[in-house]
Amino acid sequence: MRDPIPAPRSLIQFTNPLARTLSLRTLPLHAHEILPAFTIYAFLDGYLAPLASRRLCPETYPGLDPRTRVNWNARVVSLLQSCCVSAAALAVIYSDRERWAMGPRERVWGYTGASGMVQGFAAGYFLWDVATSAANLDVHGPGALMHAGSALAVSLLGFRPFCNYYGLNFILYELSTPFLNVHWFMDKLGMTGSTAQLVNGIALVTTFGASRLVWGTYQSVRMYQDIWTAFETPGGLPVPPWLAVAYVVSNTTLSVLNFYWFGRMITTLRKRFEKPSKEDGEIDTKK
């Protein structure tokens, strides 16, 4: 399935030298999605999110301390991005017949333009995420920076192309992100311990467990099996050890963080609804 948004020829030519240097062969075909996505998210974070928040939440947003405002703005971006990229990933997974026909080797080395499009938008977001997490490390914490860096690495390696098939499947982690951010916003809007937050919390735990732990672990195991098959296939394209290690380490980092955050999430929700209190702590992961 082709990328429904054709790349400008001038941009392809401009980015070809960088793509050759980094051995990311399909990167020029999706630079027109990565760069605008990064720019849009930076604009949302720096201008549109603060402006809209002051108008929509005039009694809450202006009174936030600077650190909380940074977190608030980032969560607005995360909320919008997760809804858009999840919808795009689901649409491509359902409609891209080339993906459905892929075997183990194609799942490792294969590529479709539509999958590359979704990964391009995701890479633009994770590029912004790395930048904002590094610039505001005291607010977001090292875990957020590790997550952003690992996710960016997985997204970019998809343009080699390498495991482009699985990169799109892992984007479905974002299905839980809207509920996570809504939970955080409810805390700031004085809805801690409310029935609405309880319902959202149930949806959060369900989607997080299903998309990140169950689906994510299943896809990781399948990916490791396919990479191993590519190693052993006589006459096939060999997987360079450094590439396999880089992808596996990045993916494993994401998986470990997901299990860690899930444990924190369960603990925090249980404490909150046993005895509602603003001091019980927050679920502070962004992803």
Side-chain angles (χ1 to χ4, degrees):
M1 183 175 176
R2 294 182 178 180
D3 186 338
I5 310 174
R9 181 170 298 181
S10 59
L11 186 58
I12 292 177
Q13 294 173 344
F14 179 77
T15 54
N16 260 328
L18 176 63
R20 286 195 295 268
T21 300
L22 298 177
S23 297
L24 301 177
R25 185 164 53 89
T26 63
L27 179 65
L29 302 177
H30 302 285
H32 67 298
E33 290 147 351
I34 299 173
L35 299 177
F38 174 83
T39 302
I40 289 171
Y41 296 135
F43 176 74
L44 284 171
D45 180 33
Y47 180 76
L48 192 56
L51 179 64
S53 298
R54 286 191 184 94
R55 293 187 177 182
L56 295 175
C57 305
E59 297 180 0
T60 302
Y61 185 81
L64 299 175
D65 61 79
R67 288 168 53 90
T68 306
R69 285 192 192 183
V70 168
N71 206 343
W72 178 294
N73 297 337
R75 287 177 183 276
V76 171
V77 178
S78 175
L79 177 61
L80 295 175
Q81 185 273 157
S82 59
C83 291
C84 294
V85 78
S86 296
L90 287 170
V92 172
I93 289 173
Y94 174 77
S95 60
D96 191 344
R97 296 306 169 190
E98 291 180 61
R99 284 174 46 86
W100 287 97
M102 287 182 175
R105 287 181 59 188
E106 289 79 15
R107 290 195 293 266
V108 173
W109 295 115
Y111 158 85
T112 72
S115 294
M117 174 196 69
V118 179
Q119 281 204 277
F121 289 132
Y125 170 75
F126 291 126
L127 182 61
W128 166 84
D129 199 13
V130 166
T132 193
S133 296
N136 302 284
L137 188 61
D138 59 325
V139 177
H140 301 308
L145 181 58
M146 289 174 58
H147 181 283
S150 298
L152 178 62
V154 168
S155 296
L156 291 178
L157 286 175
F159 296 117
R160 188 174 177 92
F162 180 75
C163 289
N164 176 267
Y165 175 93
Y166 287 106
L168 191 61
N169 290 349
F170 290 133
I171 285 175
L172 294 185
Y173 284 176
E174 296 295 328
L175 288 170
S176 66
T177 303
F179 301 104
L180 180 60
N181 288 318
V182 167
H183 181 96
W184 188 90
F185 284 123
M186 284 181 170
D187 277 340
K188 302 309 172 188
L189 294 171
M191 301 176 65
T192 301
S194 64
T195 300
Q197 192 180 52
L198 175 60
V199 172
N200 181 79
I202 294 172
L204 168 59
V205 170
T206 302
T207 56
F208 195 101
S211 65
R212 296 182 181 240
L213 306 188
V214 178
W215 170 260
T217 301
Y218 171 67
Q219 292 300 322
S220 294
V221 171
R222 289 188 64 201
M223 181 190 70
Y224 299 151
Q225 291 173 335
D226 285 344
I227 291 176
W228 184 254
T229 299
F231 264 120
E232 293 189 318
T233 301
L237 290 172
V239 177
W242 72 265
L243 180 58
V245 169
Y247 203 96
V248 168
V249 168
S250 296
N251 183 73
T252 302
T253 299
L254 294 175
S255 297
V256 170
L257 286 171
N258 283 333
F259 277 94
Y260 168 71
W261 282 334
F262 187 73
R264 287 190 60 186
M265 190 183 302
I266 295 296
T267 300
T268 301
L269 287 171
R270 187 179 65 248
K271 289 181 178 179
R272 175 160 294 152
F273 290 103
E274 285 176 354
K275 183 180 179 181
S277 171
K278 291 183 179 180
E279 285 72 36
D280 280 342
E282 297 175 351
I283 300 174
D284 58 3
T285 61
K286 288 196 305 164
K287 309 295 174 288

